[in-house]
Amino acid sequence: MTEQVRTAINEGIATITLDNPPVNALGAALRGAFMAAFEAAMADPSVRVVILAAAGRTWPAGADIGEFGRPPVAPQLPELCAAVARSAKPVIAALHGTVLGGGLELALAAGVRLAEPGTTLGLPEVSLGILPGAGGTQRLPRLIGAKPALGLMLSGLPIAAERALDLGLIDAVSEGGAATAAEGLARAYLAGTAELPTAAERAGGRAPDAEGWLSAVAAARAGLGNPRLPAPGRIIDCVEAALLLPEDEGFVFEGAAFAELVATPEAAALRHAFLAERRAMRQNDPGRVAAREIHRAGVVGGGPLGAGIAVALLGAGLSVTLVERDQTALAAGLARVATLHERAVEKGRLTPEAREAEWARISGATDFGALATADLIVEAVPEDEALKTQVFADLGRVAKRKAVLATATSHVDLNRLAAASSRPEDVIGLHVLGPVQGTKLLEVVVGAGTAPEVTATGFALAKRLGKIAVRSGVCDGFIGNRVLNAWRTAMDFLLEDGATPCEIDRAMREFGFPLGPYQGLDIAGLDLGWARRKRLSLRRDPARRYVAIGDRLCEAGRFGQKAGKGYYLYPEGGGKGVEDPEVLALIAAERQAKGLVARKVGAEEIRRRALAAMANEGARLLEEGIARCPSDIDVVMLAGGGFPRWRGGPMMAADQAGLLVIRNDLRDFAREEDAFWRPAVIWDELIKNGLAFADLNRI
Ligand code: 3HC
């Protein structure tokens, strides 16, 4: 292992280089080594200027997120920053890559900051439910003013070096490498031809604009959003304190706010979400096989799904051949692609020039022969097993050797399609939960015979598409739909028991979902699920409780928003629905037909049952080996299911609620309907061993 911190001293200049791949996170070992190196440079009389630089792809991207929640190890980041800030010798921070969080705070402690072109800088702590806790809330507003500082800290979004220069956050954007530029500046200083202030010299003597500062604080307070998330409010408090309190007390104030936030369940959930997304993208296939190269793609089927996939592939720089069964269907498919492009241009997501370039990379065909040179072929024909089987048999014949054959199916058994292709090693599922352009999630479905390099290709493709990929085994609906369906089933039981769609949706919005399940169904359209339920009706176990309210709504032509009515009524044709007495009467009739008596269902019960249903389905997915680990299920529900990020996903939320509590709930509910609510075996195993779902997140 290389040293995490190296010092090179040359003609009065000490260059301290941090080297902790991949992102130079400021972990305990690095902090200890840095402090020692910095103190040595301070004590060495031959050293007159210190340059701080980083090896590898980036200047530190922040504190080590994995260390939060564990006992703190000295020296802590605020101490490092304080040591740099009080240095009697000038310190230059030479920045490159992603200068984020504690990394930016370390840079803020230096007297001078230089950045390479392409560097981005930001304070993303708010997205982790915390605040910049190493002096950032105090030093940043003093350096650039309260308003832009609040903007950076409350959005959490990074800015480019050029913008940072405009704001006064850095002192120069230096071509030819920040470290080289820093060295040039240090030499000029030593030669007496350039000034190089220390941080203390720079900070002194400037009186802040108190009125502007306080009005920025007031405006930020007035704009605060979700009251369940405490971090934004505390950031504003800290910025106010930076004006009102003496410097040392300001740091103490920030430290206390940081300690308070880092211990909240919201912050734990947001950290979990960050790490879970990275874990989901990490593959543990033996030998970490390389992905196949993908340049040319084919898409079979030009319906809404196929067209959406084609647009996504074009956006990732691939050339695409769209295949349809005849010229009319092909023209309609290409028209859908054009419409999606048009919408992207209107929304400013695509420039007209980029659209032209993408359009030049798409071609159409009515013959599978046009796919003979494709590296990747995605099947997106309607959900009809016979049709899909035929497509895979044809693709098996025409596709070139080592082409990846993907299906976008939600329900058809991937292994059967793989068998039909006669090359199961090349077959994979790429499942998008929702509209392709609007969903961050891609479920990469790995079949029994899928080759590891094909799996790796699915993950590499997801990265190119800007999506978060989660590996799923083969089952009906994959991870996302299985959990969402369990949630909806539990909620349907409650409808029949006495709750209204409005009460259920409100309870789930209060939990943090952007939409309740019935609002979601109305937007997606009720007919899709209805068609599927009809297809599966013969296979349904008659002993299981079946709620037919959704079917009755469809029979009455209530297909959701597009029909002007579904679970709600849409007098305006769209937008926000209103409660419809007709629906309540229909629910009451269903209840009566089953001999049930309406009971009062409170919001708390709705949320308890929702979480128990989702987490229990997650537990089953783990037992069946469909999901690799609990956090993969969380990622699916965060990125594709609308689960509130600050609750970390259903498995994390189950851990936070307590496994025993939820297992006992499940046992209680199972007395009403055993087949649905029976707790998966894993609950007892975890409880018996004193473990939580988080203990299974080891990939
Ligand atoms: N701590 C620990 N690990 C980190 C990390 C961090 N701050 N940032 C990234 N990593 C790890 C990732 O988990 C991943 O690990 P893996 O390879 O084992 O899966 C690896 O570094 C590479 O990360 P990405 O896959 O995300 O790589 P990208 O190139 O896509 O993105 C990045 C790089 C922009 C730096 C992105 O990782 C990122 O945004 N990191 C988080 C930055 C952040 O939130 N910093 C603030 C931390 S909180 C803080 O500093 C508190 C302070 O105020 C006291």
Side-chain angles (χ1 to χ4, degrees):
M1 210 172 100
T2 55
E3 291 279 323
Q4 290 199 1
V5 176
R6 299 186 290 274
T7 305
I9 299 175
N10 190 8
E11 296 173 12
I13 304 167
T15 301
I16 300 179
T17 303
L18 311 183
D19 190 1
N20 181 22
V23 299
N24 275 311
L26 295 157
L30 184 141
R31 293 196 306 272
F34 176 87
M35 198 63 147
F38 194 77
E39 281 171 353
M42 291 295 108
D44 184 339
S46 76
V47 171
R48 293 182 53 210
V49 181
V50 178
I51 295 173
L52 305 182
R57 63 195 240 207
T58 183
W59 174 267
D64 185 339
I65 294 172
E67 284 183 2
F68 293 149
R70 298 200 211 136
V73 178
Q76 294 192 54
L77 201 49
E79 293 168 52
L80 253 56
C81 293
V84 172
R86 67 171 174 261
S87 162
K89 301 176 185 182
V91 179
I92 309 172
L95 311 175
H96 76 289
T98 43
V99 180
L100 298 175
L104 179 53
E105 293 178 285
L106 181 62
L108 283 170
V112 171
R113 285 158 290 279
L114 309 179
E116 289 180 19
T119 305
T120 54
L121 304 95
L123 290 167
E125 283 87 344
V126 72
S127 64
L128 295 168
I130 53 174
L131 50 72
T137 66
Q138 307 298 293
R139 292 194 179 98
L140 186 65
R142 286 195 198 113
L143 185 68
I144 67 171
K147 192 166 175 227
L150 281 164
L152 273 178
M153 288 189 274
L154 293 176
S155 74
L157 297 174
I159 53 171
E162 293 71 21
R163 171 84 184 122
L165 183 61
D166 287 345
L167 289 174
L169 175 53
I170 57 174
D171 300 292
V173 179
S174 309
E175 301 285 344
T180 312
E183 225 177 277
L185 180 62
R187 280 190 211 291
Y189 165 74
L190 293 177
T193 55
E195 296 203 358
L196 205 47
T198 63
E201 283 162 358
R202 265 188 96 157
R206 268 183 300 142
D209 159 23
E211 206 177 312
W213 192 302
L214 290 175
S215 78
V217 163
R221 255 192 205 122
L224 274 178
N226 184 355
R228 294 293 298 269
L229 289 179
R234 302 301 278 137
I235 287 172
I236 300 170
D237 295 343
C238 287
V239 171
E240 187 179 43
L243 176 74
L244 302 178
L245 295 182
E247 196 181 44
D248 284 352
E249 285 177 38
F251 289 129
V252 173
F253 188 90
E254 178 196 82
F258 180 86
E260 177 198 307
L261 289 175
V262 84
T264 58
E266 289 83 5
L270 289 165
R271 280 198 299 277
H272 165 77
F274 175 87
L275 295 171
E277 281 169 0
R278 268 88 196 154
R279 188 179 301 118
M281 297 288 277
R282 218 177 292 146
Q283 288 309 293
N284 57 347
D285 290 317
R288 293 213 169 206
V289 291
R292 291 185 187 168
E293 288 214 6
I294 305 283
H295 303 287
R296 305 165 81 91
V299 176
V300 183
L305 179 61
I309 291 171
V311 168
L313 294 171
L314 289 168
L318 302 176
S319 61
V320 175
T321 304
L322 184 68
V323 175
E324 259 293 1
R325 60 183 186 283
D326 56 35
Q327 284 299 339
T328 315
L330 180 60
L334 290 171
R336 282 193 189 97
V337 171
T339 307
L340 286 170
H341 269 160
E342 191 55 43
R343 224 176 282 157
V345 171
E346 273 164 25
K347 292 203 167 148
R349 279 189 270 116
L350 195 66
T351 62
E353 297 75 40
R355 178 197 27 207
E356 293 314 311
E358 288 191 13
W359 189 250
R361 276 190 273 112
I362 190 165
S363 56
T366 54
D367 171 2
F368 278 173
L371 300 175
T373 56
D375 307 303
L376 162 77
I377 304 171
V378 187
E379 168 278 309
V381 302
E383 289 285 326
D384 171 337
E385 178 156 354
L387 177 61
K388 285 185 188 280
T389 305
Q390 185 57 52
V391 169
F392 270 82
D394 290 341
L395 291 180
R397 273 191 299 279
V398 301
K400 69 176 190 185
R401 217 174 70 79
K402 298 260 177 197
V404 172
L405 308 182
T407 171
T409 185
S410 296
H411 300 293
V412 176
D413 187 325
L414 179 105
N415 289 329
R416 286 210 284 268
L417 299 180
S421 76
S422 312
R423 42 208 277 189
E425 66 281 7
D426 293 331
V427 176
I428 198 160
L430 298 175
H431 181 243
V432 244
L433 202 69
V436 183
Q437 273 64 38
T439 312
K440 274 200 312 196
L441 176 75
L442 188 70
E443 285 174 286
V444 176
V445 186
V446 180
T450 307
E453 69 187 53
V454 171
T455 307
T457 310
F459 276 82
L461 180 70
K463 218 163 183 179
R464 270 174 92 173
L465 296 174
K467 300 212 185 281
I468 296 167
V470 175
R471 181 182 176 126
S472 172
V474 177
C475 68
D476 188 0
F478 314 121
I479 299 172
N481 276 327
R482 285 267 305 260
V483 177
L484 287 172
N485 283 339
W487 176 33
R488 288 180 191 136
T489 301
M491 299 299 96
D492 278 355
F493 290 167
L494 289 181
L495 273 192
E496 231 174 35
D497 289 348
T500 66
C502 200
E503 284 166 349
I504 290 175
D505 284 345
R506 190 180 322 118
M508 294 317 302
R509 283 197 308 274
E510 283 165 6
F511 181 84
F513 277 84
L515 294 173
Y518 299 109
Q519 290 175 296
L521 282 169
D522 269 3
I523 291 172
L526 307 192
D527 44 337
L528 286 173
W530 187 37
R532 195 177 131 61
R533 289 195 296 277
K534 280 195 284 195
R535 264 203 316 274
L536 295 178
S537 61
L538 288 178
R539 278 197 260 155
R540 197 163 40 234
D541 176 359
R544 287 185 79 139
R545 180 173 178 184
Y546 180 74
V547 178
I549 295 166
D551 299 347
R552 301 285 169 269
L553 291 172
C554 289
E555 286 158 15
R558 307 188 66 114
F559 294 134
Q561 239 181 41
K562 61 186 171 192
K565 52 187 184 173
Y567 283 93
Y568 295 89
L569 194 63
Y570 300 89
E572 316 285 323
K576 205 169 163 330
V578 293
E579 194 161 61
D580 187 348
E582 231 178 73
V583 173
L584 300 186
L586 185 149
I587 295 172
E590 281 299 301
R591 186 181 300 135
Q592 213 174 2
K594 285 200 180 167
L596 296 169
V597 178
R599 66 176 178 87
K600 181 87 200 109
V601 180
E604 194 48 43
E605 180 183 349
I606 293 170
R607 289 192 281 267
R608 274 182 100 129
R609 286 188 185 248
L611 181 58
M614 287 189 251
N616 198 35
E617 193 63 17
R620 287 182 184 143
L621 287 163
L622 290 171
E623 282 180 4
E624 292 166 28
I626 302 295
R628 291 183 314 171
C629 62
S631 70
D632 274 6
I633 300 165
D634 286 339
V635 173
V636 167
M637 287 302 291
L638 296 176
F643 203 98
R645 192 173 172 87
W646 51 275
R647 289 197 189 266
M651 310 317 280
M652 170 78 179
D655 275 351
Q656 287 193 337
L659 298 196
L660 196 63
V661 172
I662 300 214
R663 198 276 319 266
N664 289 348
D665 274 356
L666 287 165
R667 280 187 180 167
D668 283 350
F669 305 151
R671 283 194 215 111
E672 304 156 13
E673 163 69 21
D674 183 65
F676 179 76
W677 287 113
R678 187 184 322 122
V681 178
I682 202 169
W683 293 95
D684 279 346
E685 282 173 10
L686 289 173
I687 292 166
K688 197 170 60 197
N689 292 303
L691 298 174
F693 284 116
D695 294 302
L696 305 181
N697 293 329
R698 309 236 171 274
I699 283 166

Short mmCIF file of all heavy atoms in Angstrom, two decimals, residues 13-57:
data_model
loop_
_atom_site.label_atom_id
_atom_site.label_comp_id
_atom_site.label_asym_id
_atom_site.label_seq_id
_atom_site.Cartn_x
_atom_site.Cartn_y
_atom_site.Cartn_z
N ILE A 13 9.72 25.13 -0.71
CA ILE A 13 8.30 24.80 -0.96
C ILE A 13 8.03 23.36 -0.54
O ILE A 13 8.68 22.44 -1.06
CB ILE A 13 7.94 24.97 -2.45
CG1 ILE A 13 8.29 26.38 -2.92
CG2 ILE A 13 6.46 24.65 -2.70
CD1 ILE A 13 8.27 26.55 -4.43
N ALA A 14 7.11 23.17 0.39
CA ALA A 14 6.71 21.81 0.76
C ALA A 14 5.41 21.47 0.05
O ALA A 14 4.42 22.19 0.20
CB ALA A 14 6.50 21.71 2.27
N THR A 15 5.46 20.42 -0.79
CA THR A 15 4.22 19.98 -1.44
C THR A 15 3.74 18.73 -0.72
O THR A 15 4.42 17.70 -0.71
CB THR A 15 4.46 19.69 -2.93
OG1 THR A 15 4.93 20.90 -3.54
CG2 THR A 15 3.18 19.23 -3.63
N ILE A 16 2.56 18.85 -0.11
CA ILE A 16 1.97 17.71 0.60
C ILE A 16 0.90 17.12 -0.32
O ILE A 16 -0.05 17.80 -0.70
CB ILE A 16 1.33 18.17 1.93
CG1 ILE A 16 2.41 18.80 2.83
CG2 ILE A 16 0.65 17.00 2.63
CD1 ILE A 16 1.89 19.31 4.17
N THR A 17 1.11 15.86 -0.71
CA THR A 17 0.19 15.23 -1.66
C THR A 17 -0.63 14.15 -0.96
O THR A 17 -0.07 13.26 -0.32
CB THR A 17 0.98 14.60 -2.83
OG1 THR A 17 1.78 15.64 -3.42
CG2 THR A 17 0.06 14.01 -3.89
N LEU A 18 -1.94 14.25 -1.10
CA LEU A 18 -2.86 13.26 -0.51
C LEU A 18 -3.09 12.17 -1.55
O LEU A 18 -3.29 12.46 -2.73
CB LEU A 18 -4.19 13.91 -0.15
CG LEU A 18 -4.11 15.22 0.65
CD1 LEU A 18 -5.51 15.71 1.00
CD2 LEU A 18 -3.30 15.00 1.92
N ASP A 19 -3.07 10.92 -1.09
CA ASP A 19 -3.19 9.82 -2.06
C ASP A 19 -4.00 8.68 -1.45
O ASP A 19 -3.45 7.74 -0.89
CB ASP A 19 -1.78 9.34 -2.46
CG ASP A 19 -1.84 8.38 -3.64
OD1 ASP A 19 -2.96 8.12 -4.14
OD2 ASP A 19 -0.78 7.90 -4.07
N ASN A 20 -5.30 8.79 -1.54
CA ASN A 20 -6.19 7.77 -0.97
C ASN A 20 -7.28 7.44 -2.00
O ASN A 20 -8.37 7.98 -1.96
CB ASN A 20 -6.82 8.32 0.33
CG ASN A 20 -7.74 7.31 1.00
OD1 ASN A 20 -7.62 6.11 0.77
ND2 ASN A 20 -8.67 7.80 1.80
N PRO A 21 -6.92 6.58 -2.98
CA PRO A 21 -7.89 6.29 -4.04
C PRO A 21 -9.17 5.66 -3.48
O PRO A 21 -9.10 5.05 -2.41
CB PRO A 21 -7.15 5.28 -4.93
CG PRO A 21 -5.79 5.10 -4.37
CD PRO A 21 -5.71 5.78 -3.06
N PRO A 22 -10.32 5.74 -4.17
CA PRO A 22 -10.43 6.36 -5.49
C PRO A 22 -10.70 7.87 -5.45
O PRO A 22 -10.42 8.55 -6.42
CB PRO A 22 -11.64 5.63 -6.09
CG PRO A 22 -12.49 5.28 -4.90
CD PRO A 22 -11.55 5.01 -3.78
N VAL A 23 -11.23 8.40 -4.33
CA VAL A 23 -11.66 9.80 -4.38
C VAL A 23 -10.99 10.64 -3.29
O VAL A 23 -11.43 11.74 -2.98
CB VAL A 23 -13.21 9.94 -4.30
CG1 VAL A 23 -13.88 9.26 -5.46
CG2 VAL A 23 -13.76 9.44 -2.97
N ASN A 24 -9.89 10.09 -2.71
CA ASN A 24 -9.18 10.81 -1.65
C ASN A 24 -10.08 11.20 -0.48
O ASN A 24 -9.95 12.30 0.08
CB ASN A 24 -8.46 12.04 -2.22
CG ASN A 24 -7.09 11.67 -2.77
OD1 ASN A 24 -6.31 11.00 -2.10
ND2 ASN A 24 -6.83 12.07 -4.01
N ALA A 25 -11.05 10.32 -0.16
CA ALA A 25 -11.93 10.59 0.99
C ALA A 25 -11.05 10.80 2.23
O ALA A 25 -10.03 10.13 2.42
CB ALA A 25 -12.88 9.42 1.21
N LEU A 26 -11.48 11.75 3.07
CA LEU A 26 -10.65 12.16 4.20
C LEU A 26 -10.89 11.24 5.40
O LEU A 26 -11.43 11.66 6.43
CB LEU A 26 -10.95 13.63 4.53
CG LEU A 26 -10.55 14.62 3.41
CD1 LEU A 26 -11.35 15.91 3.50
CD2 LEU A 26 -9.06 14.91 3.47
N GLY A 27 -10.49 10.00 5.26
CA GLY A 27 -10.66 9.00 6.32
C GLY A 27 -9.64 9.20 7.43
O GLY A 27 -8.73 10.03 7.33
N ALA A 28 -9.80 8.40 8.50
CA ALA A 28 -8.99 8.60 9.70
C ALA A 28 -7.49 8.48 9.42
O ALA A 28 -6.69 9.30 9.88
CB ALA A 28 -9.40 7.58 10.76
N ALA A 29 -7.09 7.46 8.64
CA ALA A 29 -5.66 7.24 8.39
C ALA A 29 -5.08 8.44 7.64
O ALA A 29 -3.99 8.94 7.96
CB ALA A 29 -5.46 5.95 7.60
N LEU A 30 -5.82 8.90 6.65
CA LEU A 30 -5.33 10.03 5.86
C LEU A 30 -5.25 11.29 6.73
O LEU A 30 -4.27 12.05 6.67
CB LEU A 30 -6.24 10.27 4.66
CG LEU A 30 -5.77 11.39 3.72
CD1 LEU A 30 -6.02 11.00 2.27
CD2 LEU A 30 -6.44 12.70 3.99
N ARG A 31 -6.24 11.49 7.58
CA ARG A 31 -6.23 12.69 8.44
C ARG A 31 -5.02 12.68 9.37
O ARG A 31 -4.34 13.69 9.54
CB ARG A 31 -7.52 12.77 9.27
CG ARG A 31 -8.77 13.02 8.45
CD ARG A 31 -9.92 13.48 9.35
NE ARG A 31 -10.19 12.60 10.47
CZ ARG A 31 -11.02 11.54 10.44
NH1 ARG A 31 -11.65 11.25 9.31
NH2 ARG A 31 -11.20 10.79 11.50
N GLY A 32 -4.77 11.51 9.96
CA GLY A 32 -3.63 11.40 10.88
C GLY A 32 -2.33 11.71 10.16
O GLY A 32 -1.49 12.51 10.64
N ALA A 33 -2.16 11.10 8.97
CA ALA A 33 -0.92 11.30 8.23
C ALA A 33 -0.81 12.75 7.75
O ALA A 33 0.29 13.34 7.75
CB ALA A 33 -0.89 10.35 7.03
N PHE A 34 -1.93 13.34 7.38
CA PHE A 34 -1.90 14.73 6.90
C PHE A 34 -1.48 15.66 8.03
O PHE A 34 -0.64 16.54 7.85
CB PHE A 34 -3.28 15.15 6.37
CG PHE A 34 -3.33 16.59 5.95
CD1 PHE A 34 -2.96 16.96 4.66
CD2 PHE A 34 -3.70 17.59 6.84
CE1 PHE A 34 -2.98 18.30 4.27
CE2 PHE A 34 -3.73 18.92 6.47
CZ PHE A 34 -3.37 19.29 5.18
N MET A 35 -2.08 15.46 9.21
CA MET A 35 -1.77 16.33 10.34
C MET A 35 -0.28 16.27 10.64
O MET A 35 0.37 17.30 10.86
CB MET A 35 -2.60 15.91 11.55
CG MET A 35 -2.69 16.94 12.61
SD MET A 35 -3.53 18.43 12.03
CE MET A 35 -4.33 18.94 13.53
N ALA A 36 0.27 15.05 10.64
CA ALA A 36 1.69 14.89 10.95
C ALA A 36 2.54 15.61 9.90
O ALA A 36 3.49 16.34 10.22
CB ALA A 36 2.04 13.41 11.00
N ALA A 37 2.18 15.44 8.63
CA ALA A 37 2.95 16.06 7.54
C ALA A 37 2.84 17.59 7.62
O ALA A 37 3.83 18.31 7.42
CB ALA A 37 2.44 15.57 6.19
N PHE A 38 1.65 18.06 7.93
CA PHE A 38 1.45 19.51 7.95
C PHE A 38 2.23 20.13 9.12
O PHE A 38 2.91 21.15 8.96
CB PHE A 38 -0.05 19.85 8.06
CG PHE A 38 -0.35 21.28 7.76
CD1 PHE A 38 -0.36 21.74 6.45
CD2 PHE A 38 -0.57 22.20 8.79
CE1 PHE A 38 -0.61 23.07 6.16
CE2 PHE A 38 -0.82 23.53 8.51
CZ PHE A 38 -0.85 23.97 7.20
N GLU A 39 2.15 19.48 10.28
CA GLU A 39 2.89 20.01 11.45
C GLU A 39 4.39 19.98 11.18
O GLU A 39 5.11 20.91 11.56
CB GLU A 39 2.54 19.20 12.70
CG GLU A 39 1.19 19.62 13.27
CD GLU A 39 0.68 18.73 14.38
OE1 GLU A 39 1.29 17.68 14.64
OE2 GLU A 39 -0.37 19.08 14.97
N ALA A 40 4.85 18.93 10.49
CA ALA A 40 6.28 18.85 10.17
C ALA A 40 6.68 20.01 9.25
O ALA A 40 7.73 20.64 9.43
CB ALA A 40 6.59 17.51 9.51
N ALA A 41 5.82 20.32 8.29
CA ALA A 41 6.12 21.42 7.36
C ALA A 41 6.13 22.76 8.11
O ALA A 41 6.93 23.65 7.82
CB ALA A 41 5.09 21.45 6.23
N MET A 42 5.23 22.88 9.08
CA MET A 42 5.19 24.12 9.87
C MET A 42 6.47 24.27 10.69
O MET A 42 7.01 25.36 10.85
CB MET A 42 3.97 24.11 10.82
CG MET A 42 2.62 24.22 10.17
SD MET A 42 2.36 25.79 9.35
CE MET A 42 2.45 25.30 7.66
N ALA A 43 6.92 23.11 11.22
CA ALA A 43 8.07 23.16 12.13
C ALA A 43 9.40 23.28 11.38
O ALA A 43 10.41 23.68 11.97
CB ALA A 43 8.08 21.90 12.99
N ASP A 44 9.40 22.95 10.11
CA ASP A 44 10.65 22.94 9.34
C ASP A 44 11.00 24.37 8.90
O ASP A 44 10.29 24.96 8.07
CB ASP A 44 10.45 22.03 8.12
CG ASP A 44 11.72 21.87 7.30
OD1 ASP A 44 12.61 22.73 7.43
OD2 ASP A 44 11.79 20.90 6.53
N PRO A 45 12.07 24.91 9.42
CA PRO A 45 12.37 26.32 9.10
C PRO A 45 12.72 26.52 7.62
O PRO A 45 12.61 27.64 7.11
CB PRO A 45 13.57 26.63 9.99
CG PRO A 45 14.10 25.32 10.46
CD PRO A 45 13.02 24.31 10.36
N SER A 46 13.12 25.43 6.93
CA SER A 46 13.45 25.61 5.51
C SER A 46 12.19 25.77 4.65
O SER A 46 12.25 26.21 3.52
CB SER A 46 14.27 24.41 5.00
OG SER A 46 13.42 23.30 4.79
N VAL A 47 11.04 25.39 5.21
CA VAL A 47 9.79 25.48 4.43
C VAL A 47 9.18 26.86 4.60
O VAL A 47 8.95 27.32 5.72
CB VAL A 47 8.78 24.40 4.91
CG1 VAL A 47 7.41 24.62 4.27
CG2 VAL A 47 9.30 23.01 4.59
N ARG A 48 8.92 27.54 3.46
CA ARG A 48 8.34 28.89 3.56
C ARG A 48 6.94 28.95 2.95
O ARG A 48 6.17 29.85 3.25
CB ARG A 48 9.28 29.89 2.90
CG ARG A 48 10.60 30.00 3.71
CD ARG A 48 11.54 31.01 3.12
NE ARG A 48 10.90 32.31 2.94
CZ ARG A 48 11.24 33.16 1.98
NH1 ARG A 48 12.18 32.85 1.12
NH2 ARG A 48 10.61 34.32 1.87
N VAL A 49 6.65 27.99 2.07
CA VAL A 49 5.30 27.94 1.47
C VAL A 49 4.86 26.47 1.45
O VAL A 49 5.69 25.59 1.22
CB VAL A 49 5.31 28.45 0.01
CG1 VAL A 49 3.91 28.40 -0.58
CG2 VAL A 49 5.87 29.85 -0.09
N VAL A 50 3.57 26.24 1.67
CA VAL A 50 3.06 24.86 1.62
C VAL A 50 2.04 24.76 0.48
O VAL A 50 1.16 25.62 0.36
CB VAL A 50 2.38 24.46 2.95
CG1 VAL A 50 1.80 23.04 2.85
CG2 VAL A 50 3.36 24.55 4.10
N ILE A 51 2.20 23.73 -0.34
CA ILE A 51 1.20 23.45 -1.38
C ILE A 51 0.47 22.17 -0.99
O ILE A 51 1.11 21.17 -0.65
CB ILE A 51 1.86 23.26 -2.77
CG1 ILE A 51 2.51 24.58 -3.21
CG2 ILE A 51 0.85 22.78 -3.80
CD1 ILE A 51 3.34 24.45 -4.48
N LEU A 52 -0.84 22.22 -1.01
CA LEU A 52 -1.63 21.00 -0.77
C LEU A 52 -2.14 20.52 -2.12
O LEU A 52 -2.76 21.29 -2.86
CB LEU A 52 -2.81 21.29 0.16
CG LEU A 52 -2.49 21.94 1.50
CD1 LEU A 52 -3.79 22.11 2.32
CD2 LEU A 52 -1.48 21.11 2.28
N ALA A 53 -1.85 19.27 -2.44
CA ALA A 53 -2.27 18.72 -3.74
C ALA A 53 -2.79 17.31 -3.52
O ALA A 53 -2.64 16.74 -2.45
CB ALA A 53 -1.09 18.71 -4.70
N ALA A 54 -3.41 16.76 -4.57
CA ALA A 54 -3.95 15.41 -4.44
C ALA A 54 -3.53 14.57 -5.64
O ALA A 54 -3.49 15.07 -6.77
CB ALA A 54 -5.48 15.46 -4.35
N ALA A 55 -3.21 13.31 -5.39
CA ALA A 55 -2.87 12.39 -6.48
C ALA A 55 -4.15 11.76 -7.03
O ALA A 55 -5.19 11.81 -6.37
CB ALA A 55 -1.95 11.29 -5.94
N GLY A 56 -4.04 11.19 -8.22
CA GLY A 56 -5.18 10.45 -8.77
C GLY A 56 -6.22 11.35 -9.39
O GLY A 56 -5.93 12.47 -9.79
N ARG A 57 -7.46 10.83 -9.41
CA ARG A 57 -8.47 11.51 -10.21
C ARG A 57 -9.05 12.75 -9.58
O ARG A 57 -9.69 13.56 -10.25
CB ARG A 57 -9.59 10.54 -10.59
CG ARG A 57 -10.37 10.00 -9.42
CD ARG A 57 -11.19 8.80 -9.86
NE ARG A 57 -12.60 9.05 -9.65
CZ ARG A 57 -13.50 8.10 -9.45
NH1 ARG A 57 -13.13 6.82 -9.46
NH2 ARG A 57 -14.76 8.38 -9.27
#
